[in-house]
Amino acid sequence: MKKKMALLSLVTALGLTACDQNNTQATSSNDATDSKVYKVGVDNTYPPFEFTQNGKLVGIDVDLINAIAKDQDFNIEIEQMDFSGIIPAMQAKMLDIGMGGMSITDKRKETVDFSDPYFAAGVSLVVADNNQDINSLDDLSGKKVVVKNGTVGAAFANSHNDEYGYSIIQVSDSASMFQEVTNGTADALMEDYPVISYAIATGGLKLKTVGERLTGDNYGISVLKGANDELLEKINDGLANLKENGEYEKIIATYLE
Ligand code: GLN
């Protein structure tokens, strides 16, 4: 099941960038070693993209940006923070690169530039595994839906609550969101399907996804808009190289097989 999901995401992600294949030539004039340390912001905890394992920060985002930095010969330092703080920190010039399973959206493109997509995701509706009443958005009238600040799930919830008649609870991290539903404070939550599937499979959470996917989107690596073309080019070149040399696939397989 997990494997199938990983492969699907991988295939979709690769498929989406297939038309970019003629851009995959990395610039080889990388001789001037950049001494700057680029600060990368990731979510507090967002397995399988970033999480602490045996005291070490690991995950797809973490491995991917480390591999890109190595491939393109630049230095990074990773900082964890509330997901909703990542773009503001970039705007305040406290971060150079934003990750955190960040979906590429038109709204975000007003403030950041995104790399080529690196993972296919999308938001699912999630309820307690013994909930028989809620099978789709149509069953949410009078219910409480919990979402995480600043996410695509929160944006979806906020723009559809009039239509479906639910109230919204906002929290700042995914673990609290899951807890609100498992302890019955909220009836449903909205989370990216690769993340909730991973949490259910590895954490034994008593949750299940229901209904159709609410959104379809792709994760991208972000830099502050208009000011970082060179860095963005390195990120895209690195990503393309990792896809070509199999390292990208290896990173995904480390977490999703
Ligand atoms: N992919 C979602 C978004 O970009 C959620 C990211 C997250 O919660 N870290 O809004």
Side-chain angles (χ1 to χ4, degrees):
M1 167 67 193
K2 245 181 2 164
K3 185 166 182 177
K4 209 180 204 176
M5 181 187 82
L7 284 178
L8 264 179
S9 292
L10 184 62
V11 166
T12 322
L14 291 174
L16 271 164
T17 53
C19 53
D20 293 330
Q21 286 309 306
N22 47 358
N23 283 340
T24 56
Q25 216 75 43
T27 46
S28 52
S29 57
N30 240 348
D31 34 32
T33 302
D34 197 344
S35 63
K36 185 176 157 74
V37 177
Y38 291 96
K39 287 210 170 126
V40 183
V42 299
D43 200 340
N44 272 326
T45 179
Y46 204 52
F49 295 91
E50 43 259 10
F51 58 107
T52 304
Q53 198 172 53
N54 305 324
K56 212 176 143 230
L57 182 65
V58 296
I60 294 170
D61 285 347
V62 174
D63 288 6
L64 200 57
I65 195 64
N66 272 312
I68 290 171
K70 193 167 170 219
D71 183 80
Q72 294 292 308
D73 200 18
F74 63 82
N75 300 309
I76 56 163
E77 193 180 286
I78 300 180
E79 286 179 35
Q80 292 171 273
M81 61 192 70
D82 281 356
F83 180 73
S84 63
I86 296 177
I87 291 181
M90 291 167 78
Q91 290 176 293
K93 307 270 163 68
M94 288 157 69
L95 285 180
D96 303 289
I97 298 170
M99 294 186 82
M102 189 185 289
S103 305
I104 300 171
T105 68
D106 288 343
K107 181 95 189 95
R108 289 178 182 151
K109 280 188 195 164
E110 292 169 13
T111 42
V112 299
D113 289 325
F114 281 101
S115 71
D116 295 329
Y118 71 87
F119 199 87
V123 176
S124 278
L125 184 62
V126 181
V127 298
D129 67 355
N130 59 359
N131 185 318
Q132 305 295 333
D133 307 331
I134 302 174
N135 295 301
S136 74
L137 290 172
D138 293 323
D139 302 323
L140 290 179
S141 179
K143 305 288 186 199
K144 291 192 199 103
V145 176
V146 61
V147 291
K148 175 170 155 191
N149 279 331
T151 60
V152 168
F156 182 93
N158 283 309
S159 57
H160 290 83
N161 59 335
D162 282 350
E163 191 181 343
Y164 294 104
Y166 52 81
S167 58
I168 298 172
I169 302 172
Q170 302 242 144
V171 296
S172 59
D173 62 280
S174 289
S176 313
M177 187 166 61
F178 302 160
Q179 209 180 357
E180 297 272 309
V181 176
T182 52
N183 72 17
T185 312
D187 303 290
L189 64 88
M190 291 176 185
E191 175 63 283
D192 290 13
Y193 72 84
V195 171
I196 192 64
S197 307
Y198 185 87
I200 292 171
T202 61
L205 289 179
K206 297 200 175 319
L207 297 171
K208 64 177 178 191
T209 58
V210 289
E212 311 214 319
R213 296 255 160 81
L214 308 179
T215 68
D217 45 63
N218 291 285
Y219 293 169
I221 302 169
S222 60
V223 296
L224 194 61
K225 190 178 172 72
N228 293 287
D229 291 352
E230 220 171 290
L231 177 59
L232 190 60
E233 201 177 309
K234 285 186 188 177
I235 291 171
N236 276 331
D237 287 345
L239 189 57
N241 287 343
L242 300 180
K243 283 185 176 172
E244 214 164 64
N245 68 20
E247 206 170 328
Y248 168 84
E249 213 166 325
K250 221 154 81 191
I251 290 171
I252 301 288
T254 305
Y255 298 98
L256 292 176
E257 267 192 359

